[in-house]
């Protein structure tokens, strides 16, 4: 943008005014560009969380299934972005009847597919404004990828690859986007961003996805674990709980720390705007840190009291539960509230994890206790701990006196909206996930055969485990019996089965 050279005389005022307008436009574009950069950094942090998911899950599998879980993680991200491009984003954030003409749709978007249309290719919109829209597309895909990644750990070591890919694609392309549209889009029927016809006069508050992302992924993980069934050897013939070997607690812990780091992009950068919004962004980051840290401590203490030893998995998953629970309210809660929310989340994780084992449900990495149960608690906590002033700054000042949390004297309107959301999410996600898995069961199959599971999916579907297996030697230099047996099984195995 160039400025005109102004001279004394006739036209000086018009020239100066024109330059002033250009200067203001340039300042506005710079502000938008800085916010765009902020969102793009957030998208990178969200994608970095995929490293965390991969480390946590590969550290939790048996040696014979490492390649399989890593392949599933990479495939669901790679294919998921295609689903998000084709239909996911349009369903989630496209205009609906409410936005267009005030009708009560609020369920599914009707434009924004294929990164096309006025939403992404409007010549009347400045490059800076359009750049922000494209950046937000990438950021929202990062959320979708995170939601889907929750599933893989719950069903690993026995689900067939084809079934998992189908499940993941349906989640990224349809199941999750519907929940997004109902809750986060401008016209969603549960959305806080509506100006009228609000659910419970407030709309659902989910600042960074305790419900929309974590609960949805957690429900899908639990349904998957139930329908696919437990791993061979996880429960004894009389229902006793048995432990299966895991590859590395080192990988699990590294993965947890990577997810902690990425969660700053998940929670804090959900503010979407940095310029003029620094205080809110910092508050979200501090609240998230406090909640995650105290949740890890409370979970560890609970496990120590009940089991008699310090369990690194209790610490790791407790930390993640704290980040999950505070996500929905991180922008509008005070630090003391975040601490309470986090500690309760750590205990909820412990209780729900033990409940699933009593019910003989094999959620391999406790994905549903971390994401579903802690996410549901976070949605309820929003209706309790949403502070009045912070609510007004984050959403609408005109509603802060009636839509803050119960503990701040605003009654139960916000809490009621949060509870409705939980029930709707349970119904929608459970129904659609069951439908997908029932179709898979009678077409491509849900899980690998018992023989493949026992020998390991790496051996049957991924070229073997030779890259990772070190043959144990006897004192005379011969191959140990266990290794020879494993090699013989691999050599004789019939792999002509559905993947």
């Amino acid at each position: 943008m160039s400025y005109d050279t102004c001279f004394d005389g006739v036209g000086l005022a018009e020239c100066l005014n024109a330059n002033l307008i250009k200067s203001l436009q340039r300042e506005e574009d710079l502000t938008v560009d800085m916010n765009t950069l902020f969102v793009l950094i957030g998208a990178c942090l969200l994608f970095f969380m995929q490293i965390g998911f991969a480390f946590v899950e590969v550290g939790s599998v048996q040696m014979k299934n490492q390649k399989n879980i890593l392949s599933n993680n990479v495939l669901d991200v790679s294919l998921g972005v295609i689903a998000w491009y084709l239909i996911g984003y349009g369903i989630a954030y496209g205009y609906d009847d409410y936005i267009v003409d005030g009708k009560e749709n609020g369920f599914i978007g009707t434009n924004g597919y294929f990164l096309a249309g006025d939403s992404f290719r409007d010549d009347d919109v400045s490059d800076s404004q359009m750049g922000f829209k494209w950046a937000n597309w990438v950021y929202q895909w990062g959320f979708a990828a995170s939601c889907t990644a929750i599933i893989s750990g719950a069903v690993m070591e026995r689900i067939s690859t084809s079934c998992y890919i189908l499940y993941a694609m349906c989640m990224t392309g349809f199941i999750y986007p519907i929940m997004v549209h109902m809750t986060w889009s401008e016209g969603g029927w549960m959305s806080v961003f509506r100006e009228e016809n609000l659910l419970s006069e407030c709309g659902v508050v989910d600042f960074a996805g305790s419900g929309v992302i974590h609960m949805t992924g957690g429900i899908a993980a639990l349904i998957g674990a139930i329908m696919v069934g437990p791993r061979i050897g996880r429960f004894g013939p009389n229902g006793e709980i048995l432990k299966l070997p895991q590859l590395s607690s080192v990988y699990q812990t590294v993965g947890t720390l990577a997810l902690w780091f990425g969660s700053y992009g998940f929670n804090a950068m959900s503010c979407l705007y940095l310029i003029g919004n620094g205080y809110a962004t910092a508050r979200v980051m501090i609240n998230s840190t406090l909640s995650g840290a105290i949740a890890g401590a409370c979970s560890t203490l609970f496990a120590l009291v009940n089991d008699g030893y310090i369990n690194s998995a209790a610490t790791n998953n407790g930390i993640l539960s704290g980040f999950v629970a505070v996500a929905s309210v991180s922008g509008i809660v005070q630090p003391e509230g975040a601490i309470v929310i986090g500690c309760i989340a750590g205990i909820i994780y412990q209780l729900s994890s033990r409940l699933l084992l009593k019910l003989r449900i094999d959620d391999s990495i406790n994905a549903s206790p971390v994401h579903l149960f802690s996410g549901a608690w976070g949605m309820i906590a929003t209706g309790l701990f949403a502070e009045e002033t912070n609510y007004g700054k984050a959403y609408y000042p005109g509603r802060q006196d009636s839509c803050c949390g119960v503990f701040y004297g605003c009654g139960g309107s916000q809490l009621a909206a949060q509870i409705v959301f939980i029930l709707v999410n349970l119904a929608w996600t459970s129904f659609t996930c069951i439908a997908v898995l029932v179709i898979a069961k009678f077409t491509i199959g849900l899980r690998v055969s018992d023989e493949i599971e026992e020998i390991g999916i790496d051996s049957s579907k991924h070229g073997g485990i030779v890259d990772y297996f070190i043959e144990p030697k006897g004192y005379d230099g011969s191959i140990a019996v266990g290794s020879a047996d494993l090699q013989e099984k691999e050599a004789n195995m019939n792999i002509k089965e559905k993947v």
Side-chain angles (χ1 to χ4, degrees):
M1 181 184 297
S2 60
Y3 295 96
D4 297 329
T5 302
C6 300
F7 301 96
D8 290 336
V10 178
L12 176 61
E14 290 81 357
C15 180
L16 292 175
N17 186 58
N19 283 343
L20 177 60
I21 292 174
K22 290 179 180 180
S23 178
L24 293 174
Q25 181 62 50
R26 184 176 183 179
E27 183 178 348
E28 179 182 343
D29 288 345
L30 181 59
T31 298
V32 174
D33 288 342
M34 290 299 296
N35 287 330
T36 298
L37 177 62
F38 178 69
V39 172
L40 288 172
I41 292 172
C44 293
L45 287 173
L46 286 181
F47 188 78
F48 186 83
M49 295 182 74
Q50 296 298 323
I51 299 174
F53 283 118
F55 266 99
V56 168
E57 292 174 18
V58 77
S60 302
V61 299
Q62 300 171 76
M63 178 184 287
K64 60 187 180 181
N65 294 314
Q66 295 174 80
K67 289 182 180 180
N68 177 252
I69 191 61
L70 291 173
S71 295
N72 286 352
N73 273 267
V74 174
L75 283 172
D76 71 38
V77 174
S78 302
L79 298 178
V81 71
I82 303 301
W84 187 247
Y85 167 76
L86 294 176
I87 60 173
Y89 183 89
I91 291 173
Y93 288 105
Y95 288 168
D96 60 26
D97 290 344
Y98 176 84
I99 298 174
V100 174
D101 53 24
K103 293 182 179 179
E104 292 300 311
N105 176 347
F107 181 74
I108 188 170
T110 57
N111 70 336
Y113 299 88
F114 306 101
L115 275 170
D118 291 343
S119 298
F120 296 102
R121 306 184 191 188
D122 187 350
D123 293 335
D124 294 331
V125 177
S126 70
D127 287 350
S128 294
Q129 294 289 348
M130 191 57 68
F132 183 83
K133 289 185 177 183
W134 284 66
N136 189 54
W137 188 98
V138 180
Y139 186 70
Q140 298 302 330
W141 164 70
F143 277 150
S146 297
C147 179
T148 302
I150 293 168
I151 303 171
S152 58
V155 294
M156 64 187 187
E157 300 198 282
R158 74 272 200 194
I159 193 170
S160 69
T161 300
S162 54
C163 178
Y164 176 71
I165 294 304
L166 172 65
Y167 202 27
M169 291 286 283
C170 289
M171 173 60 65
T172 306
F174 182 68
I175 299 172
Y176 166 76
I178 289 290
M179 284 307 307
V180 171
H181 191 88
M182 291 192 292
T183 313
W184 277 347
S185 73
E186 184 181 344
W189 70 271
M190 293 189 290
S191 176
V192 71
F193 301 111
R194 280 191 170 206
E195 296 183 0
E196 56 184 12
N197 300 322
L198 290 154
L199 176 65
S200 188
E201 303 300 323
C202 290
V204 173
V205 170
D206 187 6
F207 186 82
S210 293
V212 174
I213 301 170
H214 292 291
M215 260 197 73
T216 304
I219 294 168
L222 180 60
I223 295 297
I226 293 172
M227 293 191 65
V228 175
R231 291 167 290 175
I232 295 174
R234 187 65 178 97
F235 302 108
N238 299 317
E240 60 270 28
I241 301 168
L242 305 176
K243 288 187 176 181
L244 292 175
Q246 295 183 334
L247 182 64
S248 172
S249 59
V250 174
Y251 289 167
Q252 295 171 23
T253 302
V254 170
T256 299
L257 294 174
L259 289 170
W260 182 327
F261 179 70
S263 290
Y264 291 131
F266 202 104
N267 291 2
M269 290 180 173
S270 288
C271 291
L272 296 182
Y273 303 99
L274 177 63
I275 305 302
N277 207 24
Y279 173 43
T281 304
R283 181 172 63 245
V284 173
M285 192 169 288
I286 289 174
N287 286 336
S288 299
T289 303
L290 289 172
S291 181
I294 195 67
C298 289
S299 175
T300 303
L301 181 60
F302 187 100
L304 176 62
V305 171
N306 286 273
D307 303 329
Y309 64 95
I310 294 176
N311 186 342
S312 62
T315 306
N316 293 337
N317 285 335
I319 289 170
L320 299 180
S321 297
F323 276 98
V324 167
V326 81
S328 63
V329 71
S330 54
I332 54 179
V333 71
Q334 296 288 27
E336 56 271 20
I339 291 173
V340 174
I341 291 170
C343 187
I344 294 176
I347 295 172
I348 286 175
Y349 160 72
Q350 285 289 332
L351 294 174
S352 56
S353 174
R354 294 162 193 265
L355 174 63
L356 293 189
L357 290 177
K358 287 184 179 295
L359 296 174
R360 304 302 182 262
I361 297 172
D362 181 18
D363 182 338
S364 308
I365 62 167
N366 283 315
S368 50
V370 169
H371 298 278
L372 166 55
F373 292 93
S374 298
W377 157 238
M379 294 302 290
I380 292 173
T382 302
L384 301 175
F385 290 93
E387 194 271 335
E388 182 178 357
T389 302
N390 289 342
Y391 178 96
K393 291 179 179 179
Y395 294 104
Y396 299 96
R399 299 179 198 162
Q400 67 182 46
D401 293 334
S402 58
C403 294
C404 65
V406 171
F407 294 160
Y408 289 90
C410 287
S413 295
Q414 189 63 63
L415 180 60
Q418 305 300 108
I419 292 173
V420 170
F421 169 89
I422 291 173
L423 297 176
V424 169
N425 198 350
L426 285 169
W428 166 255
T429 308
S430 297
F431 173 78
T432 49
C433 287
I434 290 171
V436 170
L437 292 178
V438 167
I439 293 171
K441 180 178 181 179
F442 292 103
T443 53
I444 57 179
L446 293 179
R447 60 187 293 162
V448 300
S449 67
D450 290 351
E451 185 181 9
I452 289 177
E453 185 177 348
E454 288 179 350
I455 193 65
I457 305 176
D458 286 0
S459 295
S460 63
K461 307 302 177 186
H462 299 280
I465 61 173
V466 292
D467 292 344
Y468 306 94
F469 189 76
I470 300 176
E471 296 174 348
K473 304 290 184 179
Y475 289 110
D476 59 354
S478 61
I479 299 176
V481 174
S483 176
D485 289 346
L486 179 59
Q487 290 180 340
E488 182 179 357
K489 285 183 179 181
E490 288 186 13
N492 297 330
M493 188 169 182
N494 178 11
I495 62 172
K496 296 179 180 179
E497 299 195 31
K498 298 174 183 178
V499 296

